[in-house]
Amino acid sequence: MITLVAPELERYLTRRPTWIGAVVAVVVWGAISLMLGVEALDARYPVGLAAYGPGLIIVATAVVGAWGYFTAASAIGSEQASGALGTWLTFNPTRGRVYATKLIAVTVPTLVLALVATTLATGWALILSDRQEPGELGDLMLMAVRGVLVAGSFAVLGFVFALIGRSTLSALGVLVGWLVLVAMQAFFALALGHGWEWVGLERVIGEFLFNNESWVSHGLGIDYAVVVANGFLWFGLVAALVAVAAAVFARRDLH
C-alpha cells in the first residue's frame, strides 16, 4: 500500500491547486490570527486563555478544512474528467486498493497541515492570554485534536462528493447547497426568534468541536458527553458516505 500511496501523495502535492491553495490558506489563517492577536494585545483588561483560544482553533480548522475539501475534490474530479482514473486502473485493477490509496493521499496532507495550524493556534493563544483556569490548557489541546479530525473529514467529503458526482463542480454544488440551508435557517431564526430550533450538520460539528456557548466569561467547561455523541454522529455520517462512494466506484464504468 505504501508503494501506491507515495506516488499519489507526490502527484497530489505537486498539483497547482494544491500548493497555491495551501499558500492562500496559510496567508488567510495568518492574517485572521494576527488580527485576533492585535485585538487581544489592545485589550485593557486581562485576557483569559478561553477568550481567544477556541476562536483561533476554529479559524485554523475552517481554513484548512476548506483547503482540504476543494483540493481533494479538484484532484479526483480532474482525474475522472481527463480519463486518467480509468488508465490508472489498467495498471492496478484492484479498485478497492485504488480507492483507498487516493482517499489516503488527499486526506493525510490536510491532517498534517491542520495539526500544524492548530498547534500554532494553541501556542498563539497561550502567548496572548494573561491567565487561565485549571484544566483549560488540556481542554484547548483536546479541542485542537478534534479540529484536526474535522479538517481531515472535510478533505474526505470533498473527495467523496466529487467522485460520486463525477466532477469537482458536484462537490462545490453540495457545499453551496449546504451554505444556502445554513443561510435560510439563520433567516428563519432571526424572523421567528427563540421559536425556531435548527439541528443542522454545522451545529453537530460545532457541538463536537466546542459545545459551551458561555466560554468567554465562564472558562471552557466542555461537556465531553455532548462532544462524544456529536462525534459519533458526524464521523458516522462521513464513514457512511465513504462506504457509498466505494460502492459506486466499484461498479462504475470508467473506460
Side-chain angles (χ1 to χ4, degrees):
M1 180 66 77
I2 295 178
T3 57
L4 293 176
V5 171
E8 281 297 315
L9 268 174
E10 182 180 0
R11 186 178 298 110
Y12 172 71
L13 293 174
T14 53
R15 295 185 75 249
R16 192 170 296 175
T18 301
W19 63 265
I20 292 179
V23 172
V24 172
V26 169
V27 170
V28 170
W29 172 78
I32 296 175
S33 298
L34 183 60
M35 286 189 292
L36 289 174
V38 170
E39 180 184 336
L41 293 174
D42 286 343
R44 302 184 182 218
Y45 51 86
V47 177
L49 183 62
Y52 288 98
L56 288 167
I57 290 175
I58 289 173
V59 168
T61 301
V63 172
V64 177
W67 172 79
Y69 186 93
F70 289 121
T71 55
S74 173
I76 191 64
S78 64
E79 285 196 3
Q80 292 182 110
S82 66
L85 192 56
T87 304
W88 215 96
L89 288 172
T90 63
F91 296 98
N92 193 331
T94 308
R95 291 202 176 199
R97 185 177 299 177
V98 171
Y99 177 81
T101 297
K102 292 187 175 294
L103 183 57
I104 291 171
V106 300
T107 304
V108 169
T110 301
L111 291 172
V112 172
L113 186 59
L115 179 60
V116 173
T118 55
T119 300
L120 291 175
T122 303
W124 186 224
L126 284 171
I127 293 173
L128 296 176
S129 63
D130 299 312
R131 59 182 173 80
Q132 58 180 280
E133 300 297 329
E136 278 189 338
L137 179 57
D139 286 336
L140 195 64
M141 293 174 67
L142 288 175
M143 183 182 175
V145 172
R146 296 196 297 277
V148 172
L149 296 176
V150 169
S153 71
F154 271 94
V156 171
L157 291 177
F159 176 90
V160 163
F161 290 138
L163 187 145
I164 293 175
R166 290 179 175 263
S167 70
T168 306
L169 287 177
S170 61
L172 298 181
V174 171
L175 183 60
V176 170
W178 183 14
L179 294 177
V180 168
L181 285 176
V182 172
M184 289 177 61
Q185 71 87 15
F187 170 78
F188 284 114
L190 182 63
L192 301 176
H194 296 293
W196 175 264
E197 185 70 19
W198 172 266
V199 182
L201 291 177
E202 71 284 352
R203 181 170 174 179
V204 172
I205 298 171
E207 293 287 337
F208 173 69
L209 274 175
F210 189 76
N211 59 284
N212 184 356
E213 296 180 357
S214 60
W215 49 272
V216 173
S217 58
H218 298 90
L220 293 177
I222 295 173
D223 186 344
Y224 283 101
V226 176
V227 169
V228 171
N230 283 277
F232 272 114
L233 182 58
W234 174 250
F235 291 103
L237 174 62
V238 173
L241 290 171
V242 168
V244 170
V248 170
F249 184 68
R251 292 167 174 78
R252 176 175 289 168
D253 182 10
L254 297 170
H255 300 284

